[in-house]
Amino acid sequence: MTRNEARSESGWKAFDMWATVVVPLLVVVLALGLWKSGYGAGTKSCCGAVSPAVAASPTAGVPAPIPSTSAPVAAPAAPAIDCATIVKGIAVGFAVNRADLTDEGKRALDQTITCLGAGKFEVAGHTDADGDSARNQRLSLARARAVVRYLTSRRVPASSLTAAGYGAMQPIADNSTPEGKAQNRRIVFTAKP
């Protein structure tokens, strides 16, 4: 069957208009709607981030209403840390025999920021007893300085932090066991007048 046999000329004009104007316009409107809603509930964006509707979901598998675009979606808060824990010493991860903070170490420090907001603190680095005592002292000071640099990059005032390295001179556990050594590798924040 030819075009002329199937429909009249006015029918083909209407079909051509739908095919060339209306359908592409509907596709654009649909795409904009998906983009505005965060790529649809339950899906990921082009960059792998979960859409705000899924992130704010109160129950698994049931997306929450899409938040208003006028108010930003708050990031989940880091777990709170007891400020007294800081004085006792926190385990801050570093690369082996180096002063480079690990991602776990950065996360531990991020939890201390609210406790360090006011006042002055000494950031004391400690090591286990393995190795030369002079090297341990230098390493503990380098690690304390790395912590100060990281915290000041996170908007803790530099004037409120001083770095000190104590090497293996102040152990809190037995240096003859792996567990004790792990406890002795720490950063302690001491409040200063």
Side-chain angles (χ1 to χ4, degrees), residues 29-68:
V29 169
L30 178 62
L32 286 174
L34 288 174
W35 174 76
K36 188 172 182 176
S37 70
Y39 295 93
T43 61
K44 292 188 176 185
S45 71
C46 64
C47 305
V50 176
S51 72
V54 174
S57 178
T59 58
V62 179
I66 297 171
S68 169

Side-chain angles (χ1 to χ4, degrees), residues 16-30:
D16 288 343
M17 183 183 77
W18 273 95
T20 58
V21 176
V22 175
V23 171
L25 184 60
L26 288 173
V27 170
V28 169
V29 169
L30 178 62

Side-chain angles (χ1 to χ4, degrees), residues 68-132:
S68 169
T69 57
S70 61
V73 177
I81 188 168
D82 177 18
C83 291
T85 303
I86 294 172
V87 176
K88 294 177 188 172
I90 59 171
V92 176
F94 292 94
V96 176
N97 292 322
R98 299 187 50 118
D100 302 327
L101 283 163
T102 62
D103 290 338
E104 294 84 16
K106 290 176 182 177
R107 281 193 290 275
L109 289 173
D110 286 341
Q111 295 177 18
T112 68
I113 291 173
T114 57
C115 298
L116 302 174
K120 295 183 181 277
F121 295 89
E122 176 186 75
V123 180
H126 299 273
T127 65
D128 59 34
D130 285 350
D132 178 67

